[in-house]
Amino acid sequence: GEVLRQAVAAARRLLDALAAWPERASVLRQVEHVRALCAEQLAWPSTREGERAPEWLDALEGLASAGGELEVTREELMLLFASEVEELGAGALGGSGGGVQLLDAAHARGLTFEALFVVGVNRDRFPRIVREDALLPDAARAPLLAALPDLPLKRRGFDEERYLFAELCDAAPRVTLSWQRADDDGKALSVSPLVERLRLVRGIGQPGADGEGAAELALVRVPRLRNVALDAPFAGGRPRPRTARDLLQLAGLAGGRGRLVDLFGLAFEHGVGLARDGAIALASARAQIVEEYDPDLRTRDGRRRRRLPGPYFGLIGGSAPEAPEEDVQEPSSAVYITTLEQLARCPWQTFLSRVMRLEPPPDPLAALPTIDALLLGTTVHRVLDDLVGSGPSARNGADATAPRSLQEAQVRGSRATRRPDDEAVVERCRAVAREVSLEAGLHLPGLHGALAAIAEPYVQRALEIDWPLRRSRVDVLGGELEVVAVICDASGVERRIACKADRVDMVRGSPRITDYKTGRPLSRGKRSSTRHKHLRRAVAGGRALQAAAYAASTSGDGVGRYLYVRPDLDARISELDLPADDEITRDLFPMVAAELLAGFEEGAFFPRLEDERGEEPRSCSYCQVADACLRGDSSARRRLAEIVARAGDAGLAAPPLERRLRALWRLGLEDDE
């Protein structure tokens, strides 16, 4: 009872003290009330003789000396007091200094250290193994990103691991990497490929087996940014340790574009290890790239530059050399038809792959063997060529008398060829599937058999279409023959366009040139007029030029043909023929081909960032050189569309390269002439 009575009395005194607290008063008077409240009512420890004043009392005295007679409310004083005592009672990690921290790599992200030791840098641990979701792989996730932007792609884990490794290597003046040579059972373990890459760049050899002569990986030195002023708000209220990357980024934000060369130079000199002169030269080039790619719209020169096409939008100008197809002996001065088709699809992809000859980076997820559409198409083409075309000896170079061009085949004449029996088809599928698989690096015999089993129905379908009966005969001129179509360009000069024909037959005295297709048909129309309309639209857009080039190469009496050999297709849509006297072959194809040739030679290699509907083309999602493209940059997409619009408004007054850009951009649109 006595304890309760004392508690009630203490509570009443506390309420009285709170009631006597003025709503608004000077900081000095408010601090006196708080001091009395804490010491008398809350019994907080106060100053004793010979002892240091408690931290909360120091905080109050600091407020009193700073505020003085300034009038504040109780709530305002409490906000100030709370900010001062927020960290009371917290001790520094490791005592007076930072101490030693044991962290995993993820928790060490963004921290800085005097010295850093990264242990266990072994393969499959750092970087970790990244596996796709078996139920929802990345190929299925990518199309969903437009609706679900937060859906993670598993393959991005590789980039995250490389970035984390770079952050750790940049987190201290001295970084030591170590790894296990063997596990607990004595099984040898491999060093991380990140370390191997670092060795190659730094020229560091392997340490000895006993650890003697172990090379120290002096990774990065934090650059001394003596000449860089960090102004608020980028520097922050309190100085704290930062990584070199953070310092450079903050300096860039504070210093603006005028400091880019200096900052890039520091990054290349200290982060990459370049000599000073080389770092400054590379920094100057990088700053020019920034000005070209992202001009400063606050300046007159930046606004002018943004209105102009530039090399990073593919408008390089001049004449680009032709890059011939692999394993194809092109006729002299001829341009290959697949180059023009690729140019119509995306000029920038054509420039990177055919002119610059860039190759896509190796895909770490492609290590598992798989049978894709390319393997299937190659197998079907080779089997059909071996069975009813030129034969395997001609393809391998053993038959020197085999014709290589349409002209040579016509001189030799056709041969009546009957349909191969089923046993020959099965045997040839197995042999070619093994050959194609080994060329692609697939060495598992089971995959060879699977590829043969998948390809056989396609081969049988092609034979059923052209040899409907066992006693049927087809006059075959040859397979894998080179054909050349001749057109006149815009200046009236004759130009040669080369193609490779999968098979050439003689039908009623005229050549019929066939291109096998294992994918989806160009048109599913049941009526020939519908399929002709779809073919005309595709040729106008530069997407299906091969049949027209075949027909144009026959001197006016032949036929170009797409033969779709998918087993599930209706027989009425498996063939798509184009005669040489059709208006597509006679008028449309030469006009489209001349336009594409002019675009190639004038250097109009823009990235096709949107289609006729104003959306990103579907082909961008699986482009092999998308990493070197402006894809996904809405500002670049808008800038390119504005250039096209201005060229249309200016008409003939527009610069020639911009007119060519617009012509290729709108190639095949029905509302364009």
Side-chain angles (χ1 to χ4, degrees):
E2 183 63 26
V3 172
L4 291 177
R5 283 190 290 272
Q6 292 177 1
V8 170
R12 285 175 177 159
R13 291 193 299 272
L14 177 58
L15 289 174
D16 292 341
L18 291 174
W21 191 349
E23 177 65 28
R24 186 177 185 87
S26 66
V27 173
L28 285 174
R29 187 179 174 193
Q30 296 277 25
V31 167
E32 289 177 1
H33 278 275
V34 175
R35 186 188 299 115
L37 183 70
C38 293
E40 298 173 9
Q41 308 302 331
L42 300 181
W44 284 17
S46 58
T47 308
R48 295 180 181 176
E49 187 176 353
E51 293 183 358
R52 185 179 179 274
E55 292 178 326
W56 68 269
L57 194 55
D58 288 341
L60 279 177
E61 296 298 336
L63 287 176
S65 60
E69 297 298 329
L70 177 66
E71 287 196 354
V72 295
T73 64
R74 288 182 299 186
E75 289 77 10
E76 291 171 341
L77 182 73
M78 286 299 97
L79 287 175
L80 295 172
F81 187 38
S83 65
E84 292 296 324
V85 300
E86 182 178 8
E87 297 183 359
L88 291 188
L93 181 65
S96 59
V100 176
Q101 300 187 52
L102 299 179
L103 305 169
D104 58 28
H107 286 88
R109 184 193 299 266
L111 301 181
T112 56
F113 310 93
E114 291 292 332
L116 179 64
F117 299 85
V118 186
V119 300
V121 190
N122 287 92
R123 182 181 294 274
D124 298 337
R125 293 189 61 189
F126 196 177
R128 69 185 191 278
I129 300 176
V130 178
R131 292 189 176 93
E132 291 195 40
D133 192 314
L135 297 179
L136 192 62
D138 282 356
R141 291 170 180 248
L144 299 176
L145 290 179
L148 302 173
D150 294 330
L151 186 67
L153 294 180
K154 295 295 184 179
R155 67 174 62 246
R156 290 177 179 169
F158 295 104
D159 295 331
E160 293 172 1
E161 292 289 280
R162 288 194 293 269
Y163 185 79
L164 177 57
F165 183 75
E167 273 197 324
L168 293 176
C169 293
D170 199 25
R174 301 184 68 84
V175 179
T176 301
L177 306 178
S178 66
W179 53 91
Q180 287 181 271
R181 293 184 178 274
D183 60 12
D184 294 340
D185 297 327
K187 181 181 178 181
L189 298 178
S190 300
V191 65
S192 168
L194 298 173
V195 176
E196 294 290 4
R197 172 74 174 173
L198 196 59
R199 281 175 169 167
L200 291 174
V201 173
R202 296 285 177 171
I204 301 173
Q206 292 276 0
D210 56 355
E212 290 295 328
E216 178 183 342
L217 298 180
L219 302 178
V220 288
R221 296 283 185 265
V222 178
R224 299 184 180 90
L225 303 179
R226 293 186 297 267
N227 300 324
V228 178
L230 292 180
D231 301 323
F234 304 112
R238 299 176 180 175
R240 63 179 180 86
R242 299 182 186 273
T243 64
R245 183 182 294 105
D246 287 345
L247 283 173
L248 289 170
Q249 288 176 345
L250 292 175
L253 290 171
R257 293 174 180 254
R259 306 302 303 275
L260 281 181
V261 174
D262 294 336
L263 297 176
F264 278 141
L266 285 171
F268 294 139
E269 183 180 3
H270 297 277
V272 183
L274 293 179
R276 181 64 179 170
D277 293 342
I280 292 298
L282 185 57
S284 300
R286 185 65 60 87
Q288 293 178 38
I289 292 174
V290 171
E291 290 299 327
E292 173 63 40
Y293 177 70
D294 186 21
D296 188 356
L297 300 183
R298 296 170 298 181
T299 65
R300 178 180 299 179
D301 181 69
R303 292 189 294 270
R304 180 193 63 81
R305 188 187 295 268
R306 190 182 186 279
R307 294 176 58 86
L308 300 176
Y312 292 96
F313 290 83
L315 304 179
I316 63 174
S319 179
E322 168 67 11
E325 294 276 320
E326 292 184 2
D327 303 325
V328 172
Q329 300 294 327
E330 293 191 13
S332 175
S333 71
V335 176
Y336 221 74
I337 193 67
T338 52
T339 300
L340 299 185
E341 289 181 332
Q342 186 183 23
L343 185 71
R345 184 169 59 252
C346 181
W348 181 247
Q349 184 190 67
T350 307
F351 175 70
L352 294 179
S353 59
R354 305 235 175 186
V355 180
M356 299 295 292
R357 302 192 182 185
L358 299 184
E359 295 182 359
D363 184 1
L365 294 179
L368 293 178
T370 182
I371 297 174
D372 56 15
L374 179 60
L375 274 179
L376 174 61
T378 303
T379 303
V380 171
H381 279 71
R382 287 193 187 179
V383 171
L384 288 171
D385 184 44
D386 290 354
L387 291 174
V388 296
S390 56
S393 59
R395 174 164 50 82
N396 297 325
D399 185 2
T401 63
R404 297 184 58 84
S405 67
L406 176 59
Q407 291 77 9
E408 293 177 2
Q410 288 176 322
V411 171
R412 193 186 70 168
S414 62
R415 65 183 188 281
T417 305
R418 66 170 190 165
R419 176 177 170 177
D421 56 42
D422 293 342
E423 292 183 2
V425 172
V426 172
E427 179 183 353
R428 200 69 223 146
C429 282
R430 289 174 179 172
V432 172
R434 183 177 184 276
E435 174 185 322
V436 172
S437 298
L438 292 177
E439 290 176 1
L442 303 181
H443 300 282
L444 300 177
L447 287 177
H448 305 169
L451 178 58
I454 296 173
E456 183 185 345
Y458 289 79
V459 176
Q460 293 286 13
R461 178 61 173 164
L463 298 176
E464 289 170 2
I465 294 173
D466 285 337
W467 286 267
L469 302 175
R470 289 292 178 182
R471 63 177 181 273
S472 299
R473 296 288 190 273
V474 175
D475 291 330
V476 178
L477 274 175
E480 294 295 310
L481 298 178
E482 295 170 1
V483 298
V484 176
V486 179
I487 67 165
C488 290
D489 61 16
S491 59
V493 178
E494 286 192 349
R495 302 299 302 272
R496 296 158 59 85
I497 300 176
C499 341
K500 178 64 71 70
D502 292 333
R503 198 181 84 232
V504 183
D505 307 326
M506 294 300 294
V507 179
R508 292 184 292 274
S510 299
R512 181 182 66 185
I513 307 176
T514 298
D515 182 32
Y516 300 127
K517 295 292 185 183
T518 57
R520 293 181 299 177
L522 178 65
S523 172
R524 290 185 176 272
K526 298 298 193 307
R527 299 170 57 184
S528 60
S529 59
T530 302
R531 296 198 300 274
H532 184 273
K533 176 183 176 182
H534 293 166
L535 177 60
R536 189 186 193 286
R537 185 182 304 166
V539 172
R543 299 191 303 274
L545 302 179
Q546 203 141 355
Y550 288 164
S553 69
T554 61
S555 302
D557 61 347
V559 174
R561 178 176 71 148
Y562 291 126
L563 182 60
Y564 296 95
V565 298
R566 280 178 51 172
D568 58 334
L569 287 182
D570 190 310
R572 288 173 292 181
I573 62 176
S574 294
E575 294 183 82
L576 188 55
D577 297 338
L578 185 62
D581 58 354
D582 190 277
E583 59 94 12
I584 295 178
T585 307
R586 187 181 58 252
D587 302 325
L588 182 59
F589 167 69
M591 181 176 62
V592 173
E595 190 70 50
L596 292 170
L597 281 170
F600 189 93
E601 293 173 349
E602 293 177 18
F605 294 108
F606 62 90
R608 194 174 290 281
L609 301 179
E610 61 180 43
D611 56 19
E612 62 272 12
R613 301 185 301 274
E615 301 174 357
E616 182 180 87
R618 182 173 174 271
S619 58
C620 291
S621 61
Y622 52 82
C623 176
Q624 292 187 323
V625 291
D627 290 342
C629 180
L630 298 175
R631 178 197 176 197
D633 190 327
S634 58
S635 176
R637 183 170 165 179
R638 183 172 63 253
R639 178 177 172 184
L640 198 56
E642 290 173 356
I643 294 174
V644 173
R646 285 197 303 271
D649 295 338
L652 295 177
L657 192 57
E658 295 185 21
R659 293 205 309 269
R660 188 64 61 194
L661 184 156
R662 184 179 186 276
L664 294 182
W665 182 277
R666 299 186 58 80
L667 189 68
L669 297 185
E670 292 182 342
D671 59 347
D672 219 357
E673 294 185 0

